[in-house]
Coordinates of all heavy atoms in Angstrom, one line a residue:
M11 N -16.0 6.3 121.9 CA -15.1 7.3 122.4 C -13.9 7.3 121.5 O -13.2 6.3 121.4 CB -14.8 7.0 123.9 CG -13.9 8.0 124.4 SD -13.4 7.7 126.2 CE -14.9 7.8 127.0
G12 N -13.5 8.4 121.0 CA -12.3 8.6 120.2 C -11.1 8.7 121.1 O -11.1 8.8 122.3
I13 N -9.9 8.6 120.4 CA -8.7 8.7 121.1 C -8.5 10.0 121.8 O -7.9 10.1 122.9 CB -7.5 8.3 120.2 CG1 -6.2 8.1 121.0 CG2 -7.3 9.3 119.1 CD1 -6.1 6.9 121.8
E14 N -9.0 11.1 121.1 CA -8.8 12.4 121.7 C -9.6 12.5 123.0 O -9.2 13.1 124.0 CB -9.3 13.5 120.7 CG -8.5 13.5 119.4 CD -9.0 12.6 118.4 OE1 -10.1 12.0 118.5 OE2 -8.3 12.4 117.4
S15 N -10.8 12.0 123.0 CA -11.7 12.0 124.2 C -11.0 11.2 125.3 O -11.1 11.7 126.5 CB -13.1 11.5 123.9 OG -13.7 12.2 122.9
L16 N -10.5 10.1 125.0 CA -9.8 9.3 126.0 C -8.6 10.0 126.6 O -8.4 10.0 127.8 CB -9.3 8.0 125.4 CG -8.7 7.0 126.3 CD1 -9.7 6.6 127.4 CD2 -8.3 5.7 125.6
L17 N -7.8 10.7 125.8 CA -6.7 11.5 126.3 C -7.1 12.6 127.2 O -6.5 12.9 128.2 CB -5.9 12.1 125.1 CG -4.9 11.1 124.4 CD1 -4.3 11.7 123.2 CD2 -3.8 10.7 125.4
V18 N -8.2 13.3 126.8 CA -8.7 14.4 127.6 C -9.2 13.9 129.0 O -9.0 14.4 130.0 CB -9.9 15.2 126.9 CG1 -10.6 16.1 127.8 CG2 -9.3 15.9 125.7
F19 N -9.9 12.7 128.9 CA -10.4 12.0 130.1 C -9.2 11.7 131.0 O -9.3 11.9 132.3 CB -11.1 10.8 129.7 CG -12.0 10.2 130.7 CD1 -13.1 10.9 131.2 CD2 -11.8 9.0 131.2 CE1 -14.0 10.4 132.1 CE2 -12.6 8.4 132.2 CZ -13.7 9.1 132.6
I20 N -8.1 11.2 130.5 CA -7.0 10.8 131.3 C -6.3 12.1 131.9 O -5.9 12.1 133.0 CB -6.0 10.0 130.5 CG1 -6.6 8.6 130.2 CG2 -4.6 9.8 131.2 CD1 -5.8 7.7 129.3
I21 N -6.2 13.1 131.1 CA -5.5 14.3 131.5 C -6.3 15.0 132.6 O -5.8 15.4 133.7 CB -5.3 15.3 130.4 CG1 -4.2 14.7 129.4 CG2 -4.9 16.7 130.9 CD1 -4.1 15.5 128.1
I22 N -7.6 15.0 132.5 CA -8.5 15.6 133.5 C -8.4 14.8 134.8 O -8.3 15.3 135.9 CB -9.9 15.7 133.0 CG1 -10.0 16.9 132.0 CG2 -10.9 16.0 134.2 CD1 -11.4 17.0 131.4
G23 N -8.4 13.5 134.6 CA -8.2 12.6 135.8 C -6.9 12.8 136.5 O -6.8 12.8 137.8
A24 N -5.8 13.0 135.8 CA -4.5 13.2 136.4 C -4.5 14.5 137.1 O -3.9 14.6 138.3 CB -3.4 13.2 135.3
I25 N -5.0 15.5 136.5 CA -5.0 16.9 137.2 C -5.9 16.8 138.4 O -5.5 17.3 139.5 CB -5.5 17.9 136.2 CG1 -4.5 18.1 135.1 CG2 -5.7 19.3 137.0 CD1 -5.0 19.0 134.0
A26 N -7.0 16.2 138.3 CA -7.9 16.1 139.5 C -7.3 15.3 140.6 O -7.4 15.7 141.8 CB -9.3 15.5 139.1
G27 N -6.7 14.2 140.3 CA -6.1 13.3 141.3 C -4.9 14.0 142.0 O -4.7 13.9 143.2
W28 N -4.1 14.7 141.2 CA -3.0 15.5 141.7 C -3.5 16.6 142.7 O -3.0 16.7 143.8 CB -2.2 16.1 140.6 CG -1.1 17.0 141.0 CD1 0.1 16.6 141.6 CD2 -1.0 18.4 140.9 NE1 0.8 17.7 141.9 CE2 0.2 18.8 141.4 CE3 -1.9 19.3 140.3 CZ2 0.5 20.2 141.5 CZ3 -1.6 20.7 140.4 CH2 -0.3 21.1 140.9
L29 N -4.5 17.3 142.2 CA -5.0 18.4 143.1 C -5.6 17.8 144.4 O -5.4 18.4 145.5 CB -6.1 19.2 142.3 CG -5.6 20.2 141.3 CD1 -6.8 20.7 140.5 CD2 -4.8 21.3 141.9
A30 N -6.4 16.7 144.3 CA -7.0 16.1 145.4 C -5.9 15.6 146.4 O -6.0 15.7 147.6 CB -7.9 15.0 145.0
G31 N -4.8 15.1 145.8 CA -3.7 14.7 146.7 C -3.0 15.8 147.4 O -2.6 15.7 148.5
L32 N -3.0 17.0 146.8 CA -2.5 18.2 147.5 C -3.4 18.7 148.6 O -2.9 19.1 149.6 CB -2.2 19.3 146.5 CG -1.1 19.1 145.5 CD1 -1.1 20.3 144.5 CD2 0.2 19.0 146.2
I33 N -4.7 18.6 148.3 CA -5.7 19.2 149.2 C -5.8 18.2 150.4 O -5.9 18.7 151.6 CB -7.0 19.4 148.5 CG1 -6.9 20.5 147.5 CG2 -8.1 19.7 149.5 CD1 -8.0 20.7 146.6
V34 N -5.9 16.9 150.2 CA -6.0 16.0 151.2 C -4.6 15.5 151.5 O -4.1 14.6 150.9 CB -6.9 14.8 150.8 CG1 -7.0 13.8 152.0 CG2 -8.3 15.2 150.4
S35 N -3.9 16.2 152.5 CA -2.5 15.9 152.7 C -2.3 14.5 153.2 O -3.1 13.9 153.8 CB -2.0 16.9 153.7 OG -2.7 16.7 155.0
G36 N -1.1 14.0 152.8 CA -0.8 12.6 153.1 C -1.1 11.6 152.1 O -0.8 10.4 152.2
F37 N -1.7 12.0 151.0 CA -2.0 11.1 149.9 C -1.3 11.5 148.7 O -1.4 12.7 148.2 CB -3.5 11.1 149.6 CG -4.3 10.3 150.7 CD1 -4.9 10.9 151.7 CD2 -4.4 8.9 150.5 CE1 -5.5 10.2 152.7 CE2 -5.1 8.2 151.5 CZ -5.7 8.8 152.5
G38 N -0.6 10.6 148.1 CA 0.0 10.8 146.8 C 0.3 9.4 146.2 O 0.9 8.6 146.9
F39 N -0.3 9.2 145.1 CA -0.2 7.8 144.5 C 0.6 7.7 143.3 O 0.6 6.7 142.6 CB -1.6 7.3 144.2 CG -2.5 7.2 145.4 CD1 -3.5 8.1 145.6 CD2 -2.3 6.3 146.4 CE1 -4.3 8.1 146.8 CE2 -3.1 6.2 147.5 CZ -4.1 7.1 147.7
G40 N 1.4 8.7 142.9 CA 2.1 8.7 141.7 C 1.2 9.0 140.5 O 0.0 9.2 140.7
L41 N 1.8 9.0 139.3 CA 1.0 9.4 138.1 C -0.2 8.5 137.9 O -1.3 9.0 137.7 CB 1.9 9.5 136.9 CG 1.3 9.9 135.6 CD1 0.7 11.3 135.7 CD2 2.2 9.8 134.5
I42 N 0.0 7.2 137.8 CA -1.0 6.3 137.5 C -2.1 6.3 138.6 O -3.3 6.3 138.3 CB -0.5 4.9 137.3 CG1 0.6 4.9 136.1 CG2 -1.6 3.9 137.0 CD1 0.0 5.3 134.8
G43 N -1.6 6.3 139.8 CA -2.6 6.4 140.9 C -3.4 7.6 140.9 O -4.6 7.6 141.2
N44 N -2.8 8.8 140.6 CA -3.5 10.0 140.6 C -4.6 10.0 139.5 O -5.7 10.5 139.6 CB -2.6 11.2 140.4 CG -1.8 11.5 141.7 OD1 -2.2 11.1 142.7 ND2 -0.8 12.3 141.5
I45 N -4.2 9.4 138.3 CA -5.2 9.3 137.2 C -6.4 8.5 137.6 O -7.5 8.8 137.4 CB -4.5 8.7 136.0 CG1 -3.5 9.7 135.4 CG2 -5.5 8.3 134.9 CD1 -2.6 9.1 134.3
V46 N -6.1 7.3 138.3 CA -7.2 6.5 138.7 C -8.1 7.2 139.8 O -9.3 7.1 139.7 CB -6.6 5.1 139.3 CG1 -7.7 4.3 139.9 CG2 -5.9 4.4 138.2
V47 N -7.4 7.8 140.7 CA -8.2 8.6 141.7 C -9.0 9.7 141.1 O -10.2 9.8 141.4 CB -7.2 9.1 142.8 CG1 -8.0 10.1 143.7 CG2 -6.7 8.0 143.7
G48 N -8.5 10.4 140.1 CA -9.2 11.4 139.5 C -10.4 10.9 138.6 O -11.4 11.5 138.6
I49 N -10.2 9.8 138.0 CA -11.2 9.2 137.1 C -12.4 8.7 138.0 O -13.5 8.9 137.8 CB -10.7 8.1 136.2 CG1 -9.8 8.8 135.1 CG2 -11.8 7.3 135.6 CD1 -9.1 7.8 134.2
I50 N -12.0 8.0 139.1 CA -13.0 7.5 140.0 C -13.7 8.7 140.7 O -15.0 8.7 140.9 CB -12.4 6.6 141.1 CG1 -11.9 5.3 140.4 CG2 -13.4 6.3 142.2 CD1 -11.1 4.4 141.3
G51 N -13.0 9.7 141.0 CA -13.6 11.0 141.5 C -14.6 11.6 140.6 O -15.6 12.1 141.0
A52 N -14.2 11.6 139.3 CA -15.2 12.1 138.3 C -16.5 11.3 138.3 O -17.6 11.9 138.1 CB -14.5 12.1 136.9
F53 N -16.4 10.0 138.4 CA -17.6 9.2 138.4 C -18.4 9.4 139.7 O -19.6 9.5 139.6 CB -17.2 7.7 138.3 CG -16.9 7.2 136.9 CD1 -15.6 6.7 136.7 CD2 -17.8 7.3 135.9 CE1 -15.3 6.3 135.4 CE2 -17.5 6.9 134.6 CZ -16.2 6.4 134.4
I54 N -17.7 9.6 140.8 CA -18.4 9.9 142.1 C -19.1 11.2 141.9 O -20.3 11.3 142.3 CB -17.4 9.9 143.2 CG1 -16.9 8.5 143.5 CG2 -18.0 10.5 144.5 CD1 -15.8 8.5 144.5
A55 N -18.4 12.3 141.4 CA -19.1 13.6 141.3 C -20.2 13.5 140.3 O -21.3 14.1 140.5 CB -18.0 14.6 140.9
G56 N -20.0 12.8 139.2 CA -21.1 12.7 138.2 C -22.3 12.0 138.7 O -23.4 12.2 138.2
W57 N -22.1 11.1 139.7 CA -23.3 10.4 140.2 C -23.9 11.2 141.4 O -25.1 11.3 141.5 CB -22.8 9.0 140.8 CG -23.9 8.3 141.5 CD1 -24.9 7.5 140.9 CD2 -24.1 8.2 142.9 NE1 -25.7 7.0 141.8 CE2 -25.2 7.4 143.1 CE3 -23.4 8.7 144.0 CZ2 -25.7 7.1 144.3 CZ3 -23.9 8.5 145.2 CH2 -25.1 7.7 145.4
L58 N -23.1 11.8 142.2 CA -23.6 12.4 143.4 C -24.2 13.8 143.2 O -25.2 14.1 143.7 CB -22.4 12.6 144.4 CG -22.7 13.1 145.8 CD1 -23.7 12.2 146.5 CD2 -21.5 13.3 146.6
F59 N -23.5 14.7 142.4 CA -23.9 16.0 142.2 C -25.3 16.2 141.6 O -26.1 17.0 142.1 CB -22.9 16.8 141.4 CG -21.6 17.1 142.1 CD1 -20.5 17.6 141.5 CD2 -21.5 16.8 143.5 CE1 -19.4 17.9 142.1 CE2 -20.3 17.1 144.2 CZ -19.2 17.6 143.5
P60 N -25.7 15.4 140.6 CA -27.1 15.6 140.1 C -28.1 15.2 141.1 O -29.2 15.8 141.2 CB -27.2 14.7 138.9 CG -25.7 14.5 138.4 CD -24.9 14.6 139.7
R61 N -27.8 14.3 142.0 CA -28.8 13.9 143.0 C -28.9 14.9 144.1 O -29.9 15.0 144.8 CB -28.4 12.5 143.6 CG -28.7 11.4 142.7 CD -27.9 10.1 143.0 NE -28.2 9.0 142.1 CZ -27.9 8.9 140.9 NH1 -27.3 9.9 140.3 NH2 -28.3 7.9 140.1
L62 N -27.9 15.7 144.3 CA -27.9 16.8 145.2 C -28.4 18.1 144.6 O -28.6 19.1 145.3 CB -26.6 17.0 145.9 CG -26.0 15.9 146.7 CD1 -24.5 16.2 147.1 CD2 -26.8 15.6 147.8
G63 N -28.6 18.1 143.3 CA -29.1 19.3 142.6 C -28.0 20.3 142.5 O -28.2 21.5 142.4
F64 N -26.7 19.9 142.4 CA -25.6 20.7 142.4 C -24.9 20.6 141.0 O -24.7 19.5 140.5 CB -24.6 20.2 143.4 CG -23.3 21.1 143.5 CD1 -23.4 22.3 144.1 CD2 -22.1 20.6 143.1 CE1 -22.2 23.1 144.2 CE2 -21.0 21.3 143.2 CZ -21.0 22.6 143.7
A65 N -24.7 21.8 140.4 CA -24.0 21.8 139.0 C -23.1 23.0 139.0 O -23.4 24.1 139.4 CB -25.1 21.9 137.9
I66 N -21.9 22.7 138.5 CA -20.9 23.8 138.3 C -21.0 24.4 136.9 O -20.9 25.6 136.8 CB -19.5 23.2 138.6 CG1 -19.4 22.9 140.0 CG2 -18.4 24.3 138.2 CD1 -18.0 22.3 140.4
G67 N -21.2 23.6 135.9 CA -21.3 24.1 134.6 C -20.6 23.1 133.6 O -20.4 22.0 133.9
G68 N -20.3 23.6 132.4 CA -19.7 22.8 131.4 C -18.3 23.3 131.1 O -17.8 24.3 131.6
G69 N -17.6 22.5 130.4 CA -16.2 22.9 130.0 C -15.2 22.1 130.7 O -15.5 21.3 131.7
I70 N -14.0 22.3 130.3 CA -12.9 21.5 130.9 C -12.6 21.9 132.3 O -12.4 21.1 133.2 CB -11.6 21.6 130.0 CG1 -11.8 20.9 128.7 CG2 -10.4 21.1 130.8 CD1 -10.6 20.9 127.8
L71 N -12.6 23.2 132.6 CA -12.4 23.7 134.0 C -13.4 23.2 135.0 O -13.1 22.7 136.1 CB -12.4 25.2 134.0 CG -12.0 25.8 135.4 CD1 -10.6 25.4 135.8 CD2 -12.1 27.3 135.3
A72 N -14.7 23.2 134.5 CA -15.8 22.6 135.4 C -15.6 21.1 135.6 O -15.8 20.6 136.7 CB -17.1 22.9 134.8
S73 N -15.1 20.4 134.5 CA -14.8 19.0 134.7 C -13.7 18.7 135.6 O -13.8 17.8 136.4 CB -14.5 18.4 133.3 OG -15.5 18.5 132.4
I74 N -12.7 19.5 135.6 CA -11.6 19.4 136.6 C -12.0 19.6 138.0 O -11.7 18.9 138.9 CB -10.4 20.3 136.2 CG1 -9.8 19.8 134.9 CG2 -9.3 20.3 137.3 CD1 -8.7 20.7 134.3
I75 N -12.8 20.7 138.2 CA -13.4 21.0 139.5 C -14.3 19.8 140.0 O -14.1 19.4 141.2 CB -14.1 22.3 139.5 CG1 -13.1 23.5 139.2 CG2 -14.9 22.5 140.8 CD1 -13.8 24.8 139.0
N76 N -15.2 19.4 139.2 CA -16.0 18.3 139.6 C -15.2 17.0 139.9 O -15.5 16.4 141.0 CB -17.0 17.9 138.4 CG -18.2 18.8 138.4 OD1 -18.5 19.5 139.3 ND2 -18.8 18.9 137.2
A77 N -14.3 16.7 139.1 CA -13.5 15.5 139.3 C -12.6 15.6 140.6 O -12.4 14.7 141.3 CB -12.6 15.2 138.1
T78 N -12.1 16.8 140.8 CA -11.3 17.1 142.0 C -12.2 16.9 143.3 O -11.7 16.3 144.3 CB -10.7 18.5 142.0 OG1 -9.9 18.6 140.8 CG2 -9.8 18.7 143.2
I79 N -13.3 17.5 143.3 CA -14.2 17.4 144.4 C -14.6 15.9 144.7 O -14.5 15.4 145.8 CB -15.5 18.2 144.3 CG1 -15.1 19.7 144.3 CG2 -16.5 17.9 145.4 CD1 -16.3 20.6 143.9
G80 N -14.9 15.2 143.6 CA -15.1 13.7 143.7 C -13.9 13.0 144.3 O -14.1 12.0 145.1
A81 N -12.7 13.3 143.8 CA -11.5 12.7 144.2 C -11.2 13.0 145.7 O -10.8 12.1 146.4 CB -10.3 13.1 143.4
I82 N -11.5 14.2 146.1 CA -11.4 14.5 147.5 C -12.3 13.7 148.4 O -11.9 13.2 149.4 CB -11.6 16.1 147.8 CG1 -10.5 16.9 147.1 CG2 -11.8 16.4 149.2 CD1 -10.7 18.3 147.1
I83 N -13.5 13.5 148.0 CA -14.5 12.7 148.7 C -13.9 11.3 148.8 O -14.0 10.6 149.8 CB -15.9 12.7 148.0 CG1 -16.5 14.1 148.1 CG2 -16.8 11.6 148.6 CD1 -17.7 14.3 147.3
L84 N -13.4 10.8 147.7 CA -12.9 9.4 147.6 C -11.7 9.3 148.6 O -11.6 8.3 149.4 CB -12.4 9.1 146.2 CG -11.7 7.7 146.1 CD1 -12.6 6.6 146.4 CD2 -11.1 7.6 144.7
L85 N -10.8 10.2 148.6 CA -9.6 10.2 149.5 C -10.0 10.3 151.0 O -9.4 9.6 151.8 CB -8.6 11.2 149.1 CG -7.9 11.0 147.8 CD1 -7.0 12.2 147.5 CD2 -7.2 9.7 147.7
L86 N -11.0 11.1 151.3 CA -11.5 11.2 152.6 C -12.1 9.9 153.1 O -11.9 9.5 154.2 CB -12.5 12.4 152.8 CG -11.8 13.7 152.7 CD1 -12.9 14.8 152.7 CD2 -10.8 14.0 153.7
V87 N -12.9 9.2 152.2 CA -13.5 7.9 152.6 C -12.4 6.9 152.8 O -12.5 6.1 153.7 CB -14.5 7.5 151.5 CG1 -14.9 6.0 151.6 CG2 -15.7 8.4 151.5
V88 N -11.4 6.9 151.9 CA -10.3 6.0 152.1 C -9.6 6.2 153.4 O -9.2 5.3 154.1 CB -9.3 6.1 150.9 CG1 -8.0 5.4 151.2 CG2 -9.9 5.6 149.6
R89 N -9.4 7.5 153.8 CA -8.7 7.8 155.0 C -9.5 7.3 156.2 O -9.0 6.7 157.2 CB -8.5 9.3 155.2 CG -7.9 9.7 156.5 CD -7.8 11.2 156.6 NE -6.6 11.7 155.9 CZ -6.3 12.9 155.8 NH1 -7.0 13.9 156.3 NH2 -5.2 13.3 155.1
V90 N -10.8 7.5 156.2 CA -11.7 7.0 157.3 C -11.7 5.5 157.3 O -11.6 4.9 158.4 CB -13.2 7.5 157.1 CG1 -14.1 6.8 158.0 CG2 -13.2 9.0 157.3
L91 N -11.7 4.8 156.2 CA -11.7 3.3 156.2 C -10.3 2.8 156.7 O -10.3 1.7 157.3 CB -12.0 2.8 154.8 CG -13.4 3.0 154.4 CD1 -13.6 2.5 152.9 CD2 -14.4 2.4 155.3
K92 N -9.2 3.5 156.4 CA -7.9 3.1 156.9 C -7.8 3.1 158.4 O -7.1 2.4 159.0 CB -6.8 3.9 156.2 CG -6.4 3.4 154.9 CD -5.2 4.1 154.4 CE -4.5 3.4 153.3 NZ -3.3 4.1 152.9
R93 N -8.5 4.1 159.0 CA -8.4 4.3 160.4 C -9.3 3.3 161.1 O -9.1 3.1 162.3 CB -8.8 5.7 160.8 CG -7.8 6.7 160.4 CD -8.1 8.1 160.9 NE -7.1 9.1 160.5 CZ -7.2 10.3 160.7 NH1 -8.2 10.8 161.3 NH2 -6.2 11.1 160.2
A94 N -10.3 2.8 160.5 CA -11.2 1.9 161.1 C -10.7 0.5 161.3 O -9.7 0.1 160.8 CB -12.5 1.8 160.3

C-alpha cells in the first residue's frame, strides 16, 4: 500500500467516523477516534455486506457510504454494550 492509498484510507475513515458520530447522536470521539471508528466501520461493512448480498458500487463516495454504515453499526453495538 502506497502513501497515497494510506492517506485516502485515513480520510475516508475520518469522514465516515464523523458522519456516523452525527447520525448516532451522543457519540463523538475527536479526530483520531473518528478515524478509528470509520476504519473499523469500513472493515465491518466490507465483511458484512458481501455476506448479505448488498453492494453499493465503487468509488470514493461508495466507500464513504459503506464505511459510514459500518461505523453506525459499530456505534450502535457500543451503545448497546454500554447499557448492558
Side-chain angles (χ1 to χ4, degrees):
M11 177 183 301
I13 190 75
E14 297 88 10
S15 298
L16 186 61
L17 280 172
V18 169
F19 198 65
I20 289 172
I21 291 169
I22 289 173
I25 293 170
W28 174 72
L29 286 172
L32 291 176
I33 293 169
V34 180
S35 63
F37 283 94
F39 298 109
L41 179 62
I42 302 298
N44 285 343
I45 291 172
V46 171
V47 166
I49 290 172
I50 294 171
F53 282 117
I54 290 171
W57 176 80
L58 184 63
F59 289 171
R61 284 160 178 73
L62 297 175
F64 183 72
I66 291 178
I70 291 180
L71 185 59
S73 297
I74 292 172
I75 293 169
N76 281 336
T78 302
I79 293 171
I82 290 170
I83 292 169
L84 174 65
L85 291 178
L86 291 175
V87 168
V88 167
R89 177 182 281 178
V90 167
L91 291 177
K92 275 189 162 182
R93 289 186 182 177

